[in-house]
Amino acid sequence: MKEGFFLGIDIGSVSTNVVLIDKNGGVIENMYLRTQGKPIEVLQKALATLYEKYGDSLRIKGVGTTGSGRHLASLVVGADIVKNEITAHAKAAIYFVPDVRTIIEIGGQDSKIILIKDRIVIDFAMNTICAAGTGSFLDRQAERLNIPIEKFGETAIKSQNPVRIAGRCAVFAESDMIHKQQLGHRCEDILFGLCLALARNYLTNLAKGKNLENPILFQGGVAANIAMKKAFEQLLGTQIIVPKFYNVMGAIGIALLAKERTKGLITKFRGFENINGCKFETKGFECHDCSNYCEVVGFYSNGSLVARWGDRCQKYSSNRNYHIENSKNL
Amino acid sequence: MKVGVPNSFCYAGMENFFIRVIPEVFEDSQVIFSGKTTKEMVEYGLKNGCDELCIPAKIFIGHVEYLIRKKSVDVLFLPRLVSVLPSTYSCPKIIGIPDIIRANYHGVKLVVPEINLRKKRKMMSEKSMKNEQLFDFPMAKIAKVKNIMVLAHSYVIFDEFLNKGILETIKSAGYNPIYPIYYRFNSFYISSDLPKEFFWSSARDIYNYFEWAVNNTQINGVVYLMTFGCGIDSVLQELIMRKCNELGLPYLCITVDEHCADVGIQTRIEAYLDMIEWRTSKDEKNYLSTHG
């Protein structure tokens, strides 16, 4: 336990993932936790679990954060590298499958396609404004049919005659599903029909005009759903690989990037005890100094201001004292 | 008399023209611009614009409302820009915008002269009609290397609220953003590879710039900033995407909408720049360019 380890943190809309890798890139620990709208608390809890298990012998040499909550997480832990999730996912996929050409990544609120050639990203696309092709949609429909999301895949895969469901829009898909249900179709047929609709929507929306070459990797939380894998395989007519750590690939990628970044440098990691002993808070307010009405958010650690963001004019984010000076007026 | 001019949408960049022309039209007048887009204006615009409009036109309505409510202007000066480039037309929403304002705001005085280069008869003096004098934007400086071409209508490129400061993001990542400017370009470049020239002036402009820049500058990538609901963008974006695929240029299309948070745009642009970085570092190792 003395060589030092690297921590990768991926805070997404639905899940918060923490992984620990050793200096050779081997995955020592991986945690997949539900964010449940409380990213800081969940992250603190995950780090506390790690600390309990390994104690002081756990020497962290580098930390990276990714996902939509990456900036928040970097303030909590003191990250060496903060990167977007596309780069992180690509990094991890190339690490596990060096000759990978296509990555299908479906997460809680967004889905991505990443095309790779000669171990570099050559093209990518992310879903636009609509959530019809993402995990939360499956989540919601499973909830409506009273099926736990973990059982979704194994129920759907039994289907013999999947029904046709319009996947273009989440709302229309839902009404389609209700109609099919009222006609008496079996639950598994509707569920697999939904998987097919989601996959079809993904392929027409994100993969439009792109060449999906083999090998194809399927990662992100939705890859747990075996029916989704089958749906993609059916539509593409080819085998799809679901990597072992499919649900924490982003975190692994950022840990690998942190490992590269901190080569020969000292980490900015704040230490487990400092993080767990701290009380982190965010406070927001709407600034009315001009007609932009920016929503300014302040990040406090043990009651003292650490950082601020959200203001267009940057008078709060660039000058930490501004708020204190003006607090009397607020 | 207070003459209000909303300087967004099709009237962005026309400030100098208005300052020159308005004293010719109105006696003893004071020109009042609406200024930069603010959240307040966006909210006004979203409330009052009909759902068929593109997002810049909705924001334009917000600018108008701001002038009426907060600046209490006596009259709005809204030239009808039917055609500002020979043998083209402006987008139909641009041509119709004075009517949309008239329908939305009863009792507000509008002065709507027509600017139409397709007509022989001209409503304004010959001097103020020249299109170099119509629009006045700062030109992009073209660097020797590391240029990223940002394609969009000028009113999107120069509205930080709409584009969420994308030019700054590109600059802070160490790249140089270059972009087309309305009607500065056509005097010295005519597109060659389209079977038929564009019907709309802005589309012709953007496409010509794209073609010129691809052939004459060292660019690392193309970013298309599409505005939600824009008909011209939906055609142009597709053409440019195909061309970029052909040339092997990294291409990114971002649709800007009413989103308040810039995280979505930031993530995409960061990932895109990472990809370019990755590509170039690989190129240097192999001494081979993937950009053709």
Side-chain angles (χ1 to χ4, degrees), chain B residues 121-165:
Chain B
R121 184 170 56 88
K122 279 167 188 165
M123 310 280 276
M124 280 185 189
S125 65
E126 196 78 24
K127 213 176 91 191
S128 42
M129 290 293 299
K130 277 197 174 167
N131 66 39
E132 292 99 280
Q133 286 176 312
L134 221 50
F135 294 91
D136 196 8
F137 287 111
M139 286 271 248
K141 285 195 189 80
I142 294 169
K144 278 213 175 107
V145 284
K146 288 190 132 186
N147 288 313
I148 299 272
M149 178 155 42
V150 182
L151 294 175
H153 295 270
S154 292
Y155 51 75
V156 180
I157 287 182
F158 292 98
D159 189 335
E160 278 168 33
F161 205 102
L162 253 179
N163 65 34
K164 313 280 183 220

Side-chain angles (χ1 to χ4, degrees), chain A residues 113 115 123 125 202-212, chain B residues 238 241-242 245-246:
Chain A
I113 185 162
L115 302 184
D123 199 1
Y202 177 94
L203 293 176
T204 47
N205 205 349
L206 273 89
K208 182 177 64 182
K210 300 193 194 319
N211 250 344
L212 273 64
Chain B
E238 188 69 31
M241 184 187 76
R242 290 181 190 185
N245 280 348
E246 233 171 75

Side-chain angles (χ1 to χ4, degrees), chain B:
Chain B
M1 180 152 45
K2 281 181 175 174
V3 183
V5 181
N7 50 344
S8 88
F9 197 35
C10 48
Y11 306 120
M14 287 176 75
E15 289 81 2
N16 291 335
F17 168 81
F18 285 126
I19 289 170
R20 205 168 57 237
V21 162
I22 286 176
E24 282 180 28
V25 183
F26 303 93
E27 267 176 38
D28 191 24
S29 60
Q30 183 196 353
V31 188
I32 293 176
F33 290 114
S34 56
K36 276 189 180 175
T37 306
T38 63
K39 199 165 159 190
E40 189 189 19
M41 294 177 188
V42 177
E43 269 165 29
Y44 285 151
L46 296 180
K47 221 187 308 177
N48 296 329
C50 70
D51 60 347
E52 299 283 304
L53 289 178
C54 59
I55 193 80
K58 284 185 185 173
I59 290 175
F60 177 82
I61 293 176
H63 278 256
V64 170
E65 176 131 358
Y66 170 79
L67 283 172
I68 295 169
R69 271 207 204 180
K70 295 282 165 82
K71 297 284 175 185
S72 50
V73 293
D74 302 306
V75 60
L76 284 171
F77 188 68
L78 306 173
R80 193 187 297 279
L81 306 175
V82 179
S83 169
V84 287
L85 195 72
S87 72
T88 62
Y89 275 115
S90 297
C91 147
K93 277 165 195 147
I94 290 177
I95 301 177
I97 202 90
D99 303 315
I100 294 170
I101 300 301
R102 189 174 285 139
N104 257 319
Y105 298 96
H106 304 287
V108 175
K109 254 190 228 162
L110 297 186
V111 174
V112 186
E114 189 177 286
I115 297 183
N116 187 350
L117 293 189
R118 298 180 77 101
K119 269 191 189 166
K120 286 278 179 298
R121 184 170 56 88
K122 279 167 188 165
M123 310 280 276
M124 280 185 189
S125 65
E126 196 78 24
K127 213 176 91 191
S128 42
M129 290 293 299
K130 277 197 174 167
N131 66 39
E132 292 99 280
Q133 286 176 312
L134 221 50
F135 294 91
D136 196 8
F137 287 111
M139 286 271 248
K141 285 195 189 80
I142 294 169
K144 278 213 175 107
V145 284
K146 288 190 132 186
N147 288 313
I148 299 272
M149 178 155 42
V150 182
L151 294 175
H153 295 270
S154 292
Y155 51 75
V156 180
I157 287 182
F158 292 98
D159 189 335
E160 278 168 33
F161 205 102
L162 253 179
N163 65 34
K164 313 280 183 220
I166 195 167
L167 298 184
E168 277 307 310
T169 314
I170 292 173
K171 265 183 217 160
S172 58
Y175 286 88
N176 177 44
I178 61 169
Y179 45 79
I181 283 173
Y182 275 173
Y183 321 126
R184 275 292 180 78
F185 203 65
N186 286 274
S187 45
F188 64 94
Y189 192 85
I190 289 161
S191 157
S192 56
D193 76 335
L194 283 179
K196 181 177 176 288
E197 282 275 359
F198 270 104
F199 186 67
W200 309 289
S201 44
S202 52
R204 187 178 287 192
D205 235 40
I206 295 170
Y207 193 85
N208 284 358
Y209 184 83
F210 166 74
E211 202 184 67
W212 173 82
V214 161
N215 293 329
N216 295 295
T217 59
Q218 168 67 48
I219 51 171
N220 285 29
V222 178
V223 178
Y224 198 103
L225 277 179
M226 205 172 153
T227 51
F228 188 74
C230 178
I232 294 177
D233 279 349
S234 65
V235 177
L236 197 55
Q237 188 271 126
E238 188 69 31
L239 276 172
I240 285 172
M241 184 187 76
R242 290 181 190 185
K243 193 84 194 167
C244 284
N245 280 348
E246 233 171 75
L247 296 168
L249 268 174
Y251 176 80
L252 175 74
C253 172
I254 291 178
T255 313
V256 289
D257 198 0
E258 297 167 23
H259 294 285
C260 286
D262 1 357
V263 186
I265 291 184
Q266 292 293 345
T267 302
R268 284 166 177 81
I269 193 89
E270 272 176 29
Y272 177 73
L273 294 173
D274 273 352
M275 176 175 89
I276 290 173
E277 196 79 16
W278 213 337
R279 265 191 176 196
T280 13
S281 63
K282 191 93 174 178
D283 288 351
E284 277 160 13
K285 271 180 221 151
N286 296 344
Y287 302 105
L288 248 174
S289 167
T290 49
H291 314 308

Side-chain angles (χ1 to χ4, degrees), chain A residues 61 259-267:
Chain A
K61 283 177 78 181
K259 187 172 142 245
E260 278 175 19
R261 172 64 66 88
T262 51
K263 209 169 262 176
L265 296 170
I266 296 164
T267 179

Side-chain angles (χ1 to χ4, degrees), chain A residues 190-204:
Chain A
I190 295 174
L191 286 181
F192 193 58
L194 184 67
C195 291
L196 282 170
L198 202 144
R200 222 170 20 236
N201 187 29
Y202 177 94
L203 293 176
T204 47

Side-chain angles (χ1 to χ4, degrees), chain A residues 7-18:
Chain A
L7 203 57
I9 297 163
D10 179 356
I11 300 197
S13 56
V14 174
S15 72
T16 294
N17 313 325
V18 178

